[in-house]
Amino acid sequence: MQSDNAAFQYDPTDPTATSARREKAKMDMAHATSVKNGTQMELPLPLRNVPMTERHNKDAEADEYDPFDHREVDHPLTNFDVLFHMMKASCGSGILAMPQAFYHAGYILGLAGTAVIGFLCTYCVHILIQSEYAVCKRRKVPSMNYHEIARESFLEGPPIMRKFSKVAEYTEHVFLCIYQIGTMSVYTVFVANSFKVVADQHGTAIDIRLYMCMLLIPLILLNFVRNLKYLAPLSSFALVATVAAFGVTLKYVFTDLPPLSERDPVGEVQNWPLFFGTVIFALEAIGVVVPLGNEMRRPRKYLGLTGVLNRGMVPIVLLYIFMGFFGYIKYGAKTTGSITLNLPEDEL
């Protein structure tokens, strides 16, 4: 009776099971039926002379595969390393454009919209990491990168979608490259423009393209550091410098702050797409979330209600709301693409 029940442990029609497991389950069910009917069915060679309970125990062990237990990282990241990387990746120059985003949306829609977009961005990252874990568990591999997640997810999906696995893989490559090139281009222009504004006040005016060329060498050298563990101190320093810059900016923002009644609670509808685009660009750091999770010393601490991801994203979203709201209240329609351009130039 025990072997009879064990034979039905796996459903041969289960689409999530591997082909080998489905075939073995069919053989086990046929064998159990033959035993029940008083006839003995001869098992194929791979399954012959192997007790049925032992075969099912091995399959049960395979089902218990946990990718987290099989990850071997040369230089694992601590929770604080990942937290600083995450906050620095999300807290970039985009936050300086938040006042203009609030100008396009109005302060009420800006508050609600930024909170909703922040929640959706964080939720999508949770789905991505959970999907990676599920696919790694089925494929029995420790970790995957972006294009592997896309390809294997399609292969694990409905049969009609499996033929598009290669298309999904190449599409992911293209869009991730476009995202990274676009983001880095914006950052390069922002840094070069910041150097130019300061230099023009204290010396000879130089074309902004020359500043971009001067930034090229240090940026290339920085990209030779491939280990996230070695980049953690740089991210920590950059985060501290960024917060200090925000403090200086807010000093001017809170000086002679006008009343709230002078600002629009809801902006013009045709400007709402500019608001959503700016906030998504500013908040999203999708290019780092998977590598950070794969390099963690304790990857189980990445997700969850009090996980590293939430601990990093919640203060970032609040900081974006804070900067956007008060920056818009201060400068109103005069706010620029970067709030630093609204600061008095004679004090630079």
Side-chain angles (χ1 to χ4, degrees):
M1 182 64 67
Q2 181 178 359
S3 61
D4 190 4
N5 294 333
F8 294 90
Q9 184 173 355
Y10 297 107
D11 183 5
T13 63
D14 184 6
T16 62
T18 62
S19 58
R21 181 173 296 173
R22 289 197 299 268
E23 186 64 25
K24 187 177 75 62
K26 292 179 181 178
M27 297 298 301
D28 288 344
M29 292 180 67
H31 175 70
T33 303
S34 65
V35 171
K36 183 182 296 184
N37 295 334
T39 60
Q40 185 66 34
M41 175 183 174
E42 185 178 8
L43 293 174
L45 287 176
L47 302 179
R48 198 177 299 170
N49 300 325
V50 179
M52 190 175 300
T53 55
E54 181 180 344
R55 295 199 303 271
H56 288 306
N57 288 337
K58 291 181 179 180
D59 287 333
E61 292 177 0
D63 283 343
E64 294 175 358
Y65 178 89
D66 192 337
F68 293 156
D69 296 333
H70 295 79
R71 289 184 182 176
E72 297 180 0
V73 183
D74 294 333
H75 303 281
L77 300 175
T78 65
N79 291 352
F80 283 104
D81 291 339
V82 176
L83 182 63
F84 282 120
H85 276 306
M86 177 67 64
M87 295 184 70
K88 184 62 195 75
S90 299
C91 189
S93 61
I95 191 174
L96 301 176
M98 287 302 297
Q100 190 177 63
F102 270 64
Y103 163 69
H104 292 310
Y107 60 84
I108 291 182
L109 181 60
L111 288 170
T114 304
V116 171
I117 293 174
F119 169 79
L120 291 177
C121 289
T122 307
Y123 177 68
C124 288
V125 173
H126 275 267
I127 293 178
L128 175 62
I129 301 302
Q130 290 170 356
S131 299
E132 180 198 7
Y133 177 81
V135 175
C136 287
K137 187 177 180 69
R138 292 187 180 186
R139 295 299 185 182
K140 295 180 176 55
V141 295
S143 62
M144 293 184 181
N145 53 32
Y146 290 97
H147 72 274
E148 291 172 335
I149 297 173
R151 182 188 66 232
E152 298 301 327
S153 296
F154 271 74
L155 290 175
E156 289 289 339
I160 193 174
M161 301 300 296
R162 294 173 187 172
K163 59 184 177 181
F164 298 108
S165 59
K166 282 295 182 181
V167 176
E169 180 179 7
Y170 295 141
T171 302
E172 187 280 332
H173 274 304
V174 171
F175 278 96
L176 190 60
C177 288
I178 293 175
Y179 161 76
Q180 295 286 17
I181 292 174
T183 303
M184 294 303 106
S185 299
V186 172
Y187 288 153
T188 302
V189 173
F190 171 78
V191 174
N193 186 67
S194 300
F195 276 115
K196 177 176 173 55
V197 171
V198 175
D200 288 352
Q201 295 293 322
H202 300 86
T204 306
I206 302 177
D207 192 287
I208 190 174
R209 290 172 292 185
L210 295 178
Y211 287 105
M212 294 181 188
C213 292
M214 287 186 282
L215 288 171
L216 182 61
I217 294 178
L219 288 177
I220 291 176
L221 294 177
L222 189 62
N223 279 274
F224 277 103
V225 183
R226 305 296 299 275
N227 196 308
L228 292 175
K229 184 69 175 179
Y230 299 147
L231 287 174
L234 296 177
S235 292
S236 302
F237 173 77
L239 183 61
V240 172
T242 302
V243 173
F246 293 162
V248 174
T249 303
L250 291 174
K251 170 184 176 294
Y252 291 98
V253 168
F254 284 106
T255 302
D256 299 327
L257 199 65
L260 187 63
S261 58
E262 296 184 6
R263 304 295 179 239
D264 297 327
V266 179
E268 298 179 0
V269 176
Q270 62 266 27
N271 292 330
W272 289 3
L274 295 174
F275 163 75
F276 289 113
T278 302
V279 176
I280 291 175
F281 161 77
L283 276 176
E284 193 57 79
I286 195 66
V288 301
V289 292
V290 170
L292 288 177
N294 291 342
E295 296 290 325
M296 286 188 69
R297 179 178 298 167
R298 295 186 294 174
R300 291 181 178 85
K301 298 292 184 179
Y302 196 30
L303 301 182
L305 184 61
T306 59
V308 177
L309 178 61
N310 286 352
R311 281 186 285 167
M313 290 302 297
V314 169
I316 288 297
V317 173
L318 294 177
L319 183 60
Y320 273 59
I321 292 175
F322 187 82
M323 179 67 77
F325 179 81
F326 287 104
Y328 170 58
I329 299 302
K330 170 65 176 179
Y331 296 108
K334 296 181 180 179
T335 183
T336 59
S338 175
I339 193 174
T340 55
L341 300 178
N342 289 110
L343 302 181
E345 295 183 358
D346 56 346
E347 298 185 23
L348 293 176

